[in-house]
Amino acid sequence: MNDVKTAWVIGKYTFIEILKSRVIYNTFFLGLGLLLISYVAAEFTFGVPQKVALDFGLGALSLSATGIAIFLGGSLVHKEIESRTVQMILSRPVKRHVFMVGRIFGMSALLVINVLILGVMTTVMYFILGGSFDVLILWSILFSLLEAVVMLNVVVLFSMVTTTTLSVIFSLLILILGHNISNSLELNAVKSSPILETVIKVYSYIFPDLSRLNIKDFILYENSLSVLYLCKMTIYGFFYSIILLCISSVIFSQKDLE
Amino acid sequence: MIECRNINKVFKSDILEGPHQALEDVSFSIGEGETIGFLGANGAGKTTTIKIILGFIKQTSGEIKFDLKSMGSSRMEHMSRIGYLPERPYFYPHLKGMEFLTLMGNLSQVQSHLLKERIQKWSKRLQIDHALGKPINSYSKGMLQRIGFVSALLHDPKILIMDEPLSGLDPVGRKEFKEVMQEVHAEGKTIFFSSHIVGDVEEVCRNVVVLEKGKLVYQGLISDLIASQSNSKYRVVVRGEHQEVFDKNVSLLGDMTTSISIEKSEKEIFLKQLLDQKFEILSMTPDNLSLEEVVYKIRNHE
């Protein structure tokens, strides 16, 4: 069996394990709550209830996927090391980086399911309230998934070098900074300080600029985005995740599993 | 099969107390087809050694050599020939027993029909077949040990490395585990298991590796170890009157029954005297120490 098959097996059982821990039920209930809130909020608006529903839906979808990625991702590999289940797996012919890829793959599959459930619920509500199809909605859902996968890789990387709690806290900081880094460059205080501006620019080159993956406003205000931009951002999210995964794998390969 | 050469391991995690040397120049080998007990008190370095052999932690210095012919050349080949059972088997709590075994079998590249066969065979033999449909988080400690043992056997390994496999088992479970160990050894597998209970090792193994405070104290046959540490005396148990004739090394066992310790060299003369004086000789055995006594003796010397 080659490494791809091994990663597939680990991913499959990671998915089953997390699924059985019933986290997906929370997503389902969140989806139902979301439908209810969207409906109620839409009733209180004039003119564009479908957009309110969409705004609520996409926002909750993004929050839910990123939340699951950060809070479950913090213990995805770290807990395996702490509880030593990883030793059972690595006592079989399994390479450490393959184990890491498998875990991330399994967790990502769960994020896909989460995003699909909430995405379908959101768009259904949007269409029920009279919304018309916009391809950017699908892109936005895809970008929410990408953002969650990026954050999953961020939290896993942190968990390789620190505790689960700290890795979650650091990841939340990265999430907040990542969504505001572009906006901060527009501030007068930043513009007037070349050093600060350079620091923020350097930061945005190294750490994830998640505002690039947030295209909800473009949908709500009916602005268009070029396909080139959308493809570039997809590649950005994808490769950012791959690079983080590689770094985590290298650290994990060197780690003593006591 | 596996050779540990001059293994040193220093843990540097404790800033206040400084580095801790867990293993110091440990060298021993595990030969094909042997049953080796890995003895040592708690904290002697047994688990650390096993983790180094399995590649979970890196040694500070020294090397682990795997025999090319029997164990292959790559780490993946080594791992596919090793069956490992940790002291406390660690599982995914939400998976069912059968799911866990299938996962381990799949990772070990066992063909599905063989996997099915082996799960059936070993789970029945280790009496865990009734619980395979239940989630692992509902298992008792003994059940976890049993399913862990099954998982270690699924890929038909050449060597079983087990860390305190009998801890947490009831007396019946201990007996079953020892029987299975002897069975798989009879099939040609090498057994290497750690324990701090000397009796368990003595019952299953021919060879022993003894660690004490991170240092190797002995490697070799148990019989040689006992012989080297035992004296050259014999113990004779006799029954008869006029026991006042025995002047030393005597202990009274009961009414007219006495145990006498004699030197090997005076065995024949002493027996003749006993027969002449009409004593009934109940038994005469070499006055050897048990492995447990030998291990205590070695530890006290260290």
Side-chain angles (χ1 to χ4, degrees):
Chain A
M1 188 163 64
N2 57 29
D3 291 346
V4 176
K5 276 188 180 172
T6 307
W8 170 263
V9 170
I10 293 169
K12 183 178 141 190
Y13 282 91
T14 301
F15 180 76
I16 294 172
E17 168 74 4
I18 300 172
L19 204 61
K20 285 189 175 185
S21 68
R22 295 174 187 174
V23 72
I24 205 76
Y25 294 168
N26 296 337
T27 303
F28 187 72
F29 287 121
L30 180 71
L32 283 178
L34 174 73
L35 282 177
L36 193 69
I37 292 167
S38 302
Y39 184 76
V40 171
E43 286 294 304
F44 285 99
T45 56
F46 289 105
V48 282
Q50 69 277 21
K51 292 210 169 171
V52 174
L54 193 64
D55 195 15
F56 262 102
L58 293 178
L61 182 151
S62 176
L63 207 65
S64 157
T66 313
I68 289 176
I70 292 177
F71 287 101
L72 289 187
S75 56
L76 185 69
V77 179
H78 196 270
K79 196 174 128 198
E80 294 273 303
I81 298 169
E82 291 287 301
S83 66
R84 299 177 189 173
T85 40
V86 68
Q87 292 180 7
M88 289 299 286
I89 303 296
L90 295 179
S91 71
R92 312 287 82 245
V94 176
K95 292 170 186 155
R96 288 197 187 191
H97 68 268
V98 173
F99 172 80
M100 178 67 86
V101 170
R103 293 294 286 175
I104 296 279
F105 173 71
M107 182 72 201
S108 300
L110 189 95
L111 292 174
V112 170
I113 300 290
N114 172 70
V115 165
L116 274 179
I117 292 172
L118 294 181
V120 166
M121 285 180 166
T122 301
T123 45
V124 164
M125 180 55 84
Y126 174 67
F127 289 132
I128 286 172
L129 293 170
S132 55
F133 178 74
D134 184 347
V135 74
L136 277 185
I137 297 173
L138 299 181
W139 278 104
S140 176
I141 293 170
L142 173 70
F143 280 8
S144 292
L145 175 65
L146 269 178
E147 181 186 337
V149 173
V150 168
M151 287 316 299
L152 170 66
N153 280 285
V154 167
V155 75
V156 169
L157 175 57
F158 278 129
S159 73
M160 287 294 98
V161 291
T162 183
T163 63
T164 304
T165 313
L166 282 178
S167 57
V168 167
I169 293 169
F170 292 153
S171 301
L172 288 172
L173 284 173
I174 294 285
L175 179 71
I176 294 163
L177 287 169
H179 273 287
N180 295 290
I181 202 74
S182 294
N183 292 340
S184 66
L185 285 169
E186 304 300 321
L187 295 173
N188 282 333
V190 176
K191 280 180 180 169
S192 60
S193 166
I195 297 171
L196 193 57
E197 196 175 5
T198 312
V199 168
I200 291 173
K201 275 184 179 167
V202 169
Y203 175 93
S204 68
Y205 291 139
I206 299 170
F207 292 92
D209 186 353
L210 299 170
S211 60
R212 295 182 188 185
L213 296 173
N214 183 4
I215 57 168
K216 289 181 210 71
D217 287 351
F218 289 91
I219 305 168
L220 297 175
Y221 300 112
E222 293 176 359
N223 292 328
S224 61
L225 277 168
S226 71
V227 176
L228 181 66
Y229 175 85
L230 295 168
C231 290
K232 270 167 73 178
M233 287 309 106
T234 308
I235 291 167
Y236 170 76
F238 183 73
F239 277 97
Y240 202 95
S241 299
I242 296 286
I243 290 165
L244 291 179
L245 178 57
C246 289
I247 299 169
S248 298
S249 297
V250 169
I251 297 171
F252 182 56
S253 298
Q254 302 301 316
K255 211 171 175 64
D256 268 357
L257 306 171
E258 288 170 24
Chain B
M1 203 168 198
I2 301 174
E3 193 182 351
C4 298
R5 286 187 190 164
N6 309 106
I7 302 296
N8 284 284
K9 179 65 187 175
V10 179
F11 288 107
K12 295 170 184 165
S13 54
D14 200 329
I15 300 165
L16 292 176
E17 289 182 14
H20 161 65
Q21 179 132 23
L23 295 174
E24 194 179 335
D25 204 29
V26 172
S27 300
F28 65 89
S29 58
I30 304 170
E32 199 165 353
E34 289 181 342
T35 44
I36 303 181
F38 194 25
L39 275 177
N42 292 327
K46 303 187 296 292
T47 302
T48 303
T49 309
I50 288 175
K51 284 182 178 174
I52 288 173
I53 292 173
L54 293 166
F56 298 154
I57 56 176
K58 291 181 190 69
Q59 63 272 33
T60 309
S61 64
E63 62 175 336
I64 307 289
K65 295 281 282 182
F66 288 88
D67 175 49
L68 205 66
K69 199 177 158 196
S70 58
M71 296 297 287
S73 55
S74 68
R75 191 184 125 73
M76 291 303 105
E77 282 179 301
H78 303 156
M79 300 318 278
S80 63
R81 287 165 173 81
I82 295 175
Y84 170 59
L85 176 63
E87 184 180 357
R88 283 183 296 131
Y90 315 101
F91 307 114
Y92 296 108
H94 297 293
L95 290 186
K96 289 177 183 166
M98 181 59 95
E99 286 173 330
F100 171 73
L101 291 178
T102 309
L103 163 66
M104 295 303 276
N106 287 340
L107 293 177
S108 306
Q109 307 159 28
V110 182
Q111 290 175 336
S112 58
H113 70 280
L114 278 176
L115 180 61
K116 212 173 163 185
E117 237 171 61
R118 287 174 189 165
I119 289 177
Q120 210 169 12
K121 177 187 168 185
W122 290 115
S123 61
K124 202 169 179 184
R125 178 68 188 87
L126 286 154
Q127 296 185 31
I128 191 69
D129 53 331
H130 64 281
L132 294 185
K134 293 178 186 167
I136 287 176
N137 57 14
S138 67
Y139 282 22
S140 68
K141 172 84 168 61
M143 289 163 84
L144 292 175
Q145 288 287 103
R146 284 165 195 270
I147 200 168
F149 201 174
V150 174
S151 79
L153 290 164
L154 286 178
H155 55 299
D156 196 23
K158 288 195 167 186
I159 175 170
L160 274 175
I161 297 180
M162 298 181 280
D163 193 2
E164 306 273 4
L166 305 171
S167 68
L169 290 171
D170 58 33
V172 178
R174 295 170 81 85
K175 187 171 171 285
E176 282 167 4
F177 263 49
K178 286 179 215 170
E179 283 171 2
V180 174
M181 278 189 221
Q182 281 158 343
E183 279 171 33
V184 295
H185 175 248
E187 287 174 11
K189 296 188 200 318
T190 305
I191 310 275
F192 180 77
F193 83 93
S194 77
S195 179
H196 58 273
I197 299 169
V198 183
D200 290 337
V201 169
E202 198 169 15
E203 214 172 312
V204 179
C205 305
R206 279 191 73 222
N207 297 61
V208 70
V209 173
V210 186
L211 273 191
E212 181 65 21
K213 291 175 187 163
K215 291 180 189 167
L216 185 84
V217 178
Y218 178 80
Q219 173 183 20
L221 289 167
I222 293 177
S223 54
D224 286 353
L225 176 64
I226 292 173
S228 70
Q229 296 294 322
S230 296
N231 48 39
S232 58
K233 289 191 173 173
Y234 272 73
R235 184 153 293 279
V236 185
V237 179
V238 297
R239 186 190 290 152
E241 293 173 7
H242 310 296
Q243 299 199 357
E244 62 281 1
V245 296
F246 309 121
D247 52 351
K248 56 181 177 179
N249 297 325
V250 170
S251 50
L252 203 64
L253 299 178
D255 187 28
M256 300 205 322
T257 308
T258 311
S259 167
I260 312 121
S261 179
I262 57 165
E263 287 297 327
K264 190 179 178 182
S265 56
E266 57 190 33
K267 184 173 68 174
E268 281 81 12
I269 301 163
F270 187 72
L271 282 179
K272 197 170 174 301
Q273 283 174 354
L274 289 175
L275 291 170
D276 289 347
Q277 292 176 38
K278 308 289 184 206
F279 277 98
E280 185 187 355
I281 303 167
L282 297 176
S283 67
M284 186 172 79
T285 48
D287 197 6
N288 281 343
L289 296 173
S290 68
L291 180 61
E292 188 150 10
E293 288 167 321
V294 170
V295 171
Y296 279 128
K297 201 172 163 185
I298 294 173
R299 281 183 196 158
N300 290 337
H301 276 288
E302 283 298 305

